[in-house]
Amino acid sequence: MSEEEPLFEDVKFHQKRKHGKWSEVEAPVMDVPVADTHAHVQMMRDPALSLARAGAHNVGFVEAIVDPTDDGFTTFSALPGWLMEAAGDLRRLTSEPDQEVHDCVVAVPRVRIAAGVHPHNAKDYTPALEDDLRAHLADRRVSAVGEIGLDYHYDLSPRDVQQEVFRAQIRLAKEAGLPVCLHLREAHDDGFAILSEEGFPEAGTLLHCFNLDGAEVARWVEAGCFIALGGQLTYKKFDALREAARLVPRDRLLTETDAPYMTPEPLRGTLCGPEHVIWTADALCAVLGADTPEGRASLLAQLYENALGLLDRAPTAWQREHAHA
Ligand SMILES: [Zn+2]
């Protein structure tokens, strides 16, 4: 993530070379739409361009993550503009003669929102902020509460505060009938204990950025959670994660990016966008042995269906009731 990375106005992937040079990398072709279930869209340098690029690579769905303590609720007001601009960008980029866009019809991805206070920012969670968050959850574009959880790696908020705020937001999600998107780092025992005490939300639990092994993944799968895999799946050192992925039932796996972070290989060292999810989806096909065209298409279709089923949901009864309150 360096300042000098150019904002490429095209749909290609670019790899950093020595001496400030960049080269193009051939991208895997997705014949089936792919979902990015975790992207910080408002942190993209050009959110519209990122969404257009995602659309060009057949990313059909993006869950945009909003933390009101970071950026307020900007995404809520900016999203219609981004989508409109993205449609223009997509038309322009894919009509240029040297762009290799595959034959299927490309469109701007469908974007839904997850809103919640990250454990880093738990110290800024106040009753007034909770009221504001609750009001925004009533927006029909919201399909999850998150990312919420515990981060004992950075400990940017005191642990007791993180736990309290995690509990408050689990309750909020249950009140709203929405799933939760979890961020847990070096805190899986406490996270699991808190969810067990509060009760896993009926609408679903998504374990974001899962990067541990088969032994850890088991209890989450047993508890009914969805396991979201990002760029780390493509990293050399993460054999245990690839092993864990094979233990998750296919109807519980999700693909994500955590853009602008966690850029998958072979593009590490560059900024991640929602379009990069295709590299992770491609890696997941290899990890799960989906190597025939049919096997690959059916796995990708399943992954996409998982994402839409969990996150592209109809408004909850609570949302319908509170929509114009
Ligand atoms: Zn994130």
Side-chain angles (χ1 to χ4, degrees):
M1 285 218 279
S2 55
E3 290 290 323
E4 69 266 29
E5 181 173 337
L7 191 61
F8 294 104
E9 293 268 349
D10 61 22
V11 301
K12 293 168 178 166
F13 288 92
H14 303 263
Q15 202 169 34
K16 201 182 224 162
R17 297 291 184 199
K18 283 187 183 138
H19 312 298
K21 290 214 169 76
W22 293 82
S23 62
E24 283 166 21
V25 188
E26 203 183 321
V29 174
M30 293 293 140
D31 293 319
V32 176
V34 179
D36 179 2
T37 60
H38 194 114
H40 298 269
V41 177
Q42 85 290 341
M43 289 170 75
M44 300 288 101
R45 289 190 294 175
D46 183 338
L49 181 61
S50 287
L51 291 172
R53 286 174 47 89
H57 289 283
N58 212 3
V59 175
F61 179 83
V62 174
E63 185 81 357
I65 308 295
V66 171
D67 181 341
T69 67
D70 262 349
D71 53 3
F73 292 98
T74 317
T75 299
F76 285 76
S77 49
L79 184 56
W82 293 340
L83 290 169
M84 214 149 57
E85 201 184 321
D89 286 349
L90 187 61
R91 255 195 314 275
R92 179 169 48 83
L93 294 177
T94 55
S95 64
E96 281 164 18
D98 68 322
Q99 300 291 329
E100 288 152 38
V101 178
H102 53 91
D103 320 329
C104 66
V105 180
V106 291
V108 173
R110 219 173 135 60
V111 180
R112 298 289 299 264
I113 298 172
V117 174
H118 192 286
H120 287 343
N121 302 322
K123 56 184 182 310
D124 301 323
Y125 194 86
T126 60
L129 183 86
E130 184 174 279
D131 288 346
D132 206 5
L133 177 57
R134 183 182 282 105
H136 280 85
L137 295 183
D139 187 309
R140 286 163 181 245
R141 294 171 296 178
V142 173
S143 64
V145 173
E147 57 193 300
I148 62 171
L150 306 168
D151 193 313
Y152 295 173
H153 180 76
Y154 288 108
D155 278 327
L156 296 184
S157 289
R159 292 186 182 182
D160 59 330
V161 176
Q162 291 190 42
Q163 292 166 10
E164 205 180 304
V165 169
F166 183 31
R167 282 184 195 276
Q169 293 184 96
I170 293 169
R171 289 174 193 162
L172 201 50
K174 291 166 89 166
E175 179 186 335
L178 292 167
V180 287
C181 165
L182 303 182
H183 171 107
L184 294 175
R185 188 146 181 214
E186 293 167 29
H188 287 70
D189 285 346
D190 281 2
F192 195 86
I194 287 173
L195 274 156
S196 303
E197 282 169 31
E198 297 289 333
F200 286 79
E202 233 172 82
T205 299
L206 180 169
L207 188 51
H208 150 64
C209 197
F210 185 80
N211 61 5
L212 302 174
D213 59 11
E216 179 60 43
V217 88
R219 60 176 164 176
W220 297 93
V221 168
E222 231 164 273
C225 303
F226 286 83
I227 309 297
L229 301 166
Q232 285 164 324
L233 192 74
T234 67
Y235 298 176
K236 215 173 170 186
K237 280 196 303 190
F238 282 77
D239 279 332
L241 173 61
R242 286 182 281 274
E243 195 52 50
R246 293 186 196 105
L247 300 174
V248 179
R250 289 188 174 194
D251 60 359
R252 296 283 196 77
L253 283 168
L254 298 169
T255 50
E256 64 169 21
T257 58
D258 206 11
Y261 314 108
M262 294 286 173
T263 314
E265 291 289 9
L267 298 153
R268 276 181 97 173
T270 66
L271 278 167
C272 185
E275 68 276 26
H276 286 80
V277 76
I278 64 169
W279 295 90
T280 299
D282 189 56
L284 191 52
C285 287
V287 167
L288 299 183
D291 31 30
T292 63
E294 300 76 27
R296 187 180 157 91
S298 103
L299 174 61
L300 289 171
Q302 169 84 65
L303 295 169
Y304 196 60
E305 200 183 299
N306 297 346
L308 296 192
L310 181 67
L311 296 170
D312 199 19
R313 52 186 48 238
T316 69
W318 181 91
Q319 282 178 314
R320 284 198 299 269
E321 205 178 301
H322 292 77
H324 301 290

